[in-house]
Amino acid sequence: MEVLFENHYTRDIEWAKDVCGYALLRRPILIICYAILILYMLLGVLELVVSGAVFWECFLLPLLLGGVVAFSYRKHVNTTLSRDRELHGKAIEVTVSVGEDGIRQTQSTGAEFQLHYGDVKKVVQTKRFIYLWSKTNMLYSLKRDGFLHGTADGFLCFLKSKGLKVK
């Protein structure tokens, strides 16, 4: 396979925070839910100002759910990193090679995965990473500043040329 793009990163705290942050905080449906909770809280403030009545559930429910989300985020980040250290003794190094026919991800553990463009379900970009989810929900990550061959913008254009929608 001729390598068009090559990327390298470490599954470290930066990666874990970014991937868990997207999964728990930045997905569009969750942003809508958070906005509704904020409006619910503002409704409680408005009710307090207008009638002087305090509806505690308008304040407690959003705060309670926010606490649950924050706890889940920390737990997922720590579990992800602990699992890598427990199973492999250190953080996992990942190299992603992109060719015309597909993407190959090789880990320092010796594991190797292949992804064909027809099997890509979703492509999402954050400030630091580009994520590709396969139809079987395998996650392929590329660090924006981790390109050894090619660039992040070039890679995104390449994905679009393959008919993939990039969010």
Side-chain angles (χ1 to χ4, degrees), residues 33-56:
C33 291
Y34 300 145
I36 290 170
L37 284 173
I38 290 169
L39 290 174
Y40 186 64
M41 187 184 277
L42 291 175
L43 180 67
V45 171
L46 180 66
E47 189 65 35
L48 177 64
V49 170
V50 171
S51 70
V54 176
F55 293 102
W56 289 105

mmCIF file of all heavy atoms in Angstrom, residues 33-56:
data_model
loop_
_atom_site.group_PDB
_atom_site.id
_atom_site.type_symbol
_atom_site.label_atom_id
_atom_site.label_comp_id
_atom_site.label_asym_id
_atom_site.label_seq_id
_atom_site.Cartn_x
_atom_site.Cartn_y
_atom_site.Cartn_z
ATOM 1 N N CYS A 33 -29.324 18.700 24.964
ATOM 2 C CA CYS A 33 -29.795 18.353 26.313
ATOM 3 C C CYS A 33 -29.265 19.327 27.355
ATOM 4 O O CYS A 33 -30.014 19.762 28.247
ATOM 5 C CB CYS A 33 -29.378 16.930 26.673
ATOM 6 S SG CYS A 33 -30.234 15.659 25.726
ATOM 7 N N TYR A 34 -27.994 19.689 27.250
ATOM 8 C CA TYR A 34 -27.412 20.644 28.197
ATOM 9 C C TYR A 34 -28.085 22.012 28.069
ATOM 10 O O TYR A 34 -28.337 22.682 29.067
ATOM 11 C CB TYR A 34 -25.901 20.768 28.003
ATOM 12 C CG TYR A 34 -25.147 19.474 28.197
ATOM 13 C CD1 TYR A 34 -24.034 19.172 27.438
ATOM 14 C CD2 TYR A 34 -25.563 18.528 29.134
ATOM 15 C CE1 TYR A 34 -23.343 17.971 27.608
ATOM 16 C CE2 TYR A 34 -24.883 17.334 29.308
ATOM 17 C CZ TYR A 34 -23.778 17.062 28.543
ATOM 18 O OH TYR A 34 -23.096 15.884 28.714
ATOM 19 N N ALA A 35 -28.387 22.410 26.838
ATOM 20 C CA ALA A 35 -29.065 23.695 26.625
ATOM 21 C C ALA A 35 -30.453 23.683 27.258
ATOM 22 O O ALA A 35 -30.874 24.674 27.872
ATOM 23 C CB ALA A 35 -29.155 24.005 25.129
ATOM 24 N N ILE A 36 -31.157 22.577 27.146
ATOM 25 C CA ILE A 36 -32.487 22.459 27.764
ATOM 26 C C ILE A 36 -32.373 22.549 29.283
ATOM 27 O O ILE A 36 -33.179 23.214 29.942
ATOM 28 C CB ILE A 36 -33.172 21.146 27.321
ATOM 29 C CG1 ILE A 36 -33.544 21.237 25.844
ATOM 30 C CG2 ILE A 36 -34.392 20.837 28.186
ATOM 31 C CD1 ILE A 36 -33.995 19.928 25.229
ATOM 32 N N LEU A 37 -31.370 21.906 29.860
ATOM 33 C CA LEU A 37 -31.169 21.987 31.318
ATOM 34 C C LEU A 37 -30.855 23.414 31.763
ATOM 35 O O LEU A 37 -31.335 23.864 32.808
ATOM 36 C CB LEU A 37 -30.051 21.044 31.747
ATOM 37 C CG LEU A 37 -30.413 19.567 31.804
ATOM 38 C CD1 LEU A 37 -29.182 18.727 32.072
ATOM 39 C CD2 LEU A 37 -31.476 19.313 32.850
ATOM 40 N N ILE A 38 -30.081 24.122 30.981
ATOM 41 C CA ILE A 38 -29.766 25.521 31.315
ATOM 42 C C ILE A 38 -31.032 26.366 31.234
ATOM 43 O O ILE A 38 -31.284 27.206 32.112
ATOM 44 C CB ILE A 38 -28.652 26.059 30.400
ATOM 45 C CG1 ILE A 38 -27.329 25.387 30.757
ATOM 46 C CG2 ILE A 38 -28.533 27.579 30.514
ATOM 47 C CD1 ILE A 38 -26.209 25.641 29.772
ATOM 48 N N LEU A 39 -31.848 26.146 30.208
ATOM 49 C CA LEU A 39 -33.116 26.876 30.106
ATOM 50 C C LEU A 39 -34.035 26.553 31.278
ATOM 51 O O LEU A 39 -34.732 27.427 31.802
ATOM 52 C CB LEU A 39 -33.805 26.555 28.776
ATOM 53 C CG LEU A 39 -33.139 27.117 27.529
ATOM 54 C CD1 LEU A 39 -33.842 26.598 26.275
ATOM 55 C CD2 LEU A 39 -33.130 28.635 27.554
ATOM 56 N N TYR A 40 -34.029 25.307 31.701
ATOM 57 C CA TYR A 40 -34.828 24.879 32.853
ATOM 58 C C TYR A 40 -34.368 25.626 34.103
ATOM 59 O O TYR A 40 -35.190 26.095 34.905
ATOM 60 C CB TYR A 40 -34.691 23.363 33.016
ATOM 61 C CG TYR A 40 -35.576 22.751 34.072
ATOM 62 C CD1 TYR A 40 -36.963 22.787 33.952
ATOM 63 C CD2 TYR A 40 -35.022 22.107 35.169
ATOM 64 C CE1 TYR A 40 -37.765 22.209 34.917
ATOM 65 C CE2 TYR A 40 -35.827 21.520 36.131
ATOM 66 C CZ TYR A 40 -37.193 21.577 36.008
ATOM 67 O OH TYR A 40 -37.996 21.005 36.958
ATOM 68 N N MET A 41 -33.058 25.768 34.262
ATOM 69 C CA MET A 41 -32.523 26.492 35.409
ATOM 70 C C MET A 41 -32.895 27.979 35.321
ATOM 71 O O MET A 41 -33.279 28.595 36.327
ATOM 72 C CB MET A 41 -31.007 26.338 35.491
ATOM 73 C CG MET A 41 -30.404 26.935 36.771
ATOM 74 S SD MET A 41 -28.617 26.851 36.809
ATOM 75 C CE MET A 41 -28.351 25.198 37.379
ATOM 76 N N LEU A 42 -32.799 28.540 34.113
ATOM 77 C CA LEU A 42 -33.176 29.951 33.932
ATOM 78 C C LEU A 42 -34.659 30.173 34.201
ATOM 79 O O LEU A 42 -35.050 31.230 34.704
ATOM 80 C CB LEU A 42 -32.806 30.418 32.526
ATOM 81 C CG LEU A 42 -31.318 30.539 32.251
ATOM 82 C CD1 LEU A 42 -31.074 30.897 30.791
ATOM 83 C CD2 LEU A 42 -30.662 31.541 33.180
ATOM 84 N N LEU A 43 -35.474 29.180 33.884
ATOM 85 C CA LEU A 43 -36.900 29.249 34.202
ATOM 86 C C LEU A 43 -37.100 29.353 35.713
ATOM 87 O O LEU A 43 -37.936 30.118 36.197
ATOM 88 C CB LEU A 43 -37.626 28.026 33.644
ATOM 89 C CG LEU A 43 -39.128 27.963 33.891
ATOM 90 C CD1 LEU A 43 -39.838 29.065 33.136
ATOM 91 C CD2 LEU A 43 -39.658 26.602 33.461
ATOM 92 N N GLY A 44 -36.323 28.614 36.464
ATOM 93 C CA GLY A 44 -36.383 28.688 37.927
ATOM 94 C C GLY A 44 -35.960 30.055 38.434
ATOM 95 O O GLY A 44 -36.573 30.589 39.371
ATOM 96 N N VAL A 45 -34.936 30.645 37.829
ATOM 97 C CA VAL A 45 -34.495 31.992 38.209
ATOM 98 C C VAL A 45 -35.594 33.002 37.897
ATOM 99 O O VAL A 45 -35.907 33.877 38.716
ATOM 100 C CB VAL A 45 -33.179 32.369 37.493
ATOM 101 C CG1 VAL A 45 -32.836 33.836 37.705
ATOM 102 C CG2 VAL A 45 -32.041 31.474 37.953
ATOM 103 N N LEU A 46 -36.202 32.884 36.715
ATOM 104 C CA LEU A 46 -37.287 33.789 36.330
ATOM 105 C C LEU A 46 -38.463 33.675 37.295
ATOM 106 O O LEU A 46 -39.021 34.689 37.726
ATOM 107 C CB LEU A 46 -37.726 33.473 34.897
ATOM 108 C CG LEU A 46 -38.848 34.339 34.347
ATOM 109 C CD1 LEU A 46 -38.367 35.782 34.198
ATOM 110 C CD2 LEU A 46 -39.319 33.798 33.008
ATOM 111 N N GLU A 47 -38.814 32.464 37.659
ATOM 112 C CA GLU A 47 -39.911 32.238 38.605
ATOM 113 C C GLU A 47 -39.582 32.857 39.967
ATOM 114 O O GLU A 47 -40.447 33.458 40.614
ATOM 115 C CB GLU A 47 -40.175 30.732 38.749
ATOM 116 C CG GLU A 47 -41.416 30.392 39.519
ATOM 117 C CD GLU A 47 -42.689 30.838 38.834
ATOM 118 O OE1 GLU A 47 -42.760 30.809 37.608
ATOM 119 O OE2 GLU A 47 -43.622 31.242 39.567
ATOM 120 N N LEU A 48 -38.326 32.741 40.368
ATOM 121 C CA LEU A 48 -37.887 33.329 41.638
ATOM 122 C C LEU A 48 -38.001 34.853 41.587
ATOM 123 O O LEU A 48 -38.497 35.473 42.535
ATOM 124 C CB LEU A 48 -36.444 32.915 41.929
ATOM 125 C CG LEU A 48 -35.797 33.492 43.183
ATOM 126 C CD1 LEU A 48 -36.526 33.003 44.430
ATOM 127 C CD2 LEU A 48 -34.334 33.099 43.243
ATOM 128 N N VAL A 49 -37.597 35.452 40.501
ATOM 129 C CA VAL A 49 -37.631 36.917 40.361
ATOM 130 C C VAL A 49 -39.071 37.420 40.269
ATOM 131 O O VAL A 49 -39.434 38.398 40.907
ATOM 132 C CB VAL A 49 -36.811 37.363 39.125
ATOM 133 C CG1 VAL A 49 -37.028 38.833 38.820
ATOM 134 C CG2 VAL A 49 -35.335 37.065 39.334
ATOM 135 N N VAL A 50 -39.896 36.745 39.472
ATOM 136 C CA VAL A 50 -41.262 37.210 39.234
ATOM 137 C C VAL A 50 -42.168 36.973 40.436
ATOM 138 O O VAL A 50 -42.866 37.878 40.893
ATOM 139 C CB VAL A 50 -41.842 36.536 37.961
ATOM 140 C CG1 VAL A 50 -43.328 36.835 37.816
ATOM 141 C CG2 VAL A 50 -41.087 36.989 36.737
ATOM 142 N N SER A 51 -42.176 35.762 40.972
ATOM 143 C CA SER A 51 -43.143 35.441 42.025
ATOM 144 C C SER A 51 -42.518 35.269 43.405
ATOM 145 O O SER A 51 -43.237 35.169 44.384
ATOM 146 C CB SER A 51 -43.909 34.168 41.658
ATOM 147 O OG SER A 51 -43.056 33.058 41.737
ATOM 148 N N GLY A 52 -41.222 35.211 43.464
ATOM 149 C CA GLY A 52 -40.565 35.015 44.743
ATOM 150 C C GLY A 52 -40.572 33.573 45.212
ATOM 151 O O GLY A 52 -40.057 33.255 46.281
ATOM 152 N N ALA A 53 -41.159 32.681 44.407
ATOM 153 C CA ALA A 53 -41.206 31.258 44.765
ATOM 154 C C ALA A 53 -39.937 30.558 44.286
ATOM 155 O O ALA A 53 -39.425 30.842 43.216
ATOM 156 C CB ALA A 53 -42.429 30.603 44.136
ATOM 157 N N VAL A 54 -39.468 29.660 45.127
ATOM 158 C CA VAL A 54 -38.264 28.905 44.770
ATOM 159 C C VAL A 54 -38.674 27.486 44.411
ATOM 160 O O VAL A 54 -39.290 26.783 45.204
ATOM 161 C CB VAL A 54 -37.261 28.877 45.943
ATOM 162 C CG1 VAL A 54 -36.066 28.011 45.590
ATOM 163 C CG2 VAL A 54 -36.840 30.279 46.320
ATOM 164 N N PHE A 55 -38.360 27.094 43.196
ATOM 165 C CA PHE A 55 -38.560 25.717 42.754
ATOM 166 C C PHE A 55 -37.191 25.062 42.741
ATOM 167 O O PHE A 55 -36.425 25.181 41.787
ATOM 168 C CB PHE A 55 -39.206 25.675 41.356
ATOM 169 C CG PHE A 55 -40.615 26.190 41.348
ATOM 170 C CD1 PHE A 55 -40.902 27.460 40.884
ATOM 171 C CD2 PHE A 55 -41.654 25.394 41.813
ATOM 172 C CE1 PHE A 55 -42.205 27.932 40.887
ATOM 173 C CE2 PHE A 55 -42.955 25.854 41.819
ATOM 174 C CZ PHE A 55 -43.237 27.134 41.361
ATOM 175 N N TRP A 56 -36.886 24.355 43.830
ATOM 176 C CA TRP A 56 -35.556 23.784 44.007
ATOM 177 C C TRP A 56 -35.162 22.820 42.897
ATOM 178 O O TRP A 56 -33.992 22.731 42.533
ATOM 179 C CB TRP A 56 -35.450 23.100 45.367
ATOM 180 C CG TRP A 56 -35.437 24.102 46.474
ATOM 181 C CD1 TRP A 56 -36.459 24.403 47.330
ATOM 182 C CD2 TRP A 56 -34.369 24.992 46.799
ATOM 183 N NE1 TRP A 56 -36.095 25.410 48.190
ATOM 184 C CE2 TRP A 56 -34.798 25.787 47.877
ATOM 185 C CE3 TRP A 56 -33.100 25.198 46.304
ATOM 186 C CZ2 TRP A 56 -34.008 26.766 48.463
ATOM 187 C CZ3 TRP A 56 -32.304 26.174 46.877
ATOM 188 C CH2 TRP A 56 -32.755 26.938 47.951
#
